Amino acid sequence: MTKTEKIANAQKRTDELQILMKCWNDSEQGGAKIVYAQKRISELQILMKCWDDSEHDEAKIVNFTMKTENKVA
């Protein structure tokens, strides 16, 4: 997949998430779904910016925080 295709797909997914957020907000049932969608949109925007800037010589590293839980059975 080319960078242009990646950016287009990420933009499409961002638009879809924004539509879903509006629907959830209008129906007053969003809550955690809206928060997750906002986080995912932010991640997609970071990726799109990195892909778009990757024409330059400098490589970039994107760090997303990951929450893990240790549970013992």
Side-chain angles (χ1 to χ4, degrees):
M1 185 180 296
T2 66
K3 286 183 266 185
T4 305
E5 291 170 330
K6 288 179 183 179
I7 292 170
N9 287 339
Q11 185 59 54
K12 180 180 176 188
R13 185 62 183 142
T14 298
D15 294 343
E16 292 169 351
L17 286 168
Q18 288 173 338
I19 291 168
L20 284 173
M21 283 177 19
K22 184 179 181 330
C23 293
W24 293 328
N25 194 34
D26 291 346
S27 67
E28 297 178 2
Q29 69 180 29
K33 291 179 181 181
I34 291 175
V35 171
Y36 174 78
Q38 288 171 331
K39 181 180 176 192
R40 185 65 182 134
I41 287 171
S42 295
E43 291 170 351
L44 287 168
Q45 289 172 338
I46 291 168
L47 287 172
M48 285 188 290
K49 184 178 184 317
C50 288
W51 290 328
D52 194 39
D53 288 346
S54 66
E55 297 291 328
H56 306 298
D57 292 338
E58 297 178 23
K60 294 185 180 182
I61 297 173
V62 179
N63 292 319
F64 293 112
T65 58
M66 295 181 64
K67 183 179 179 181
T68 58
E69 296 179 14
N70 293 329
K71 294 184 179 182
V72 178

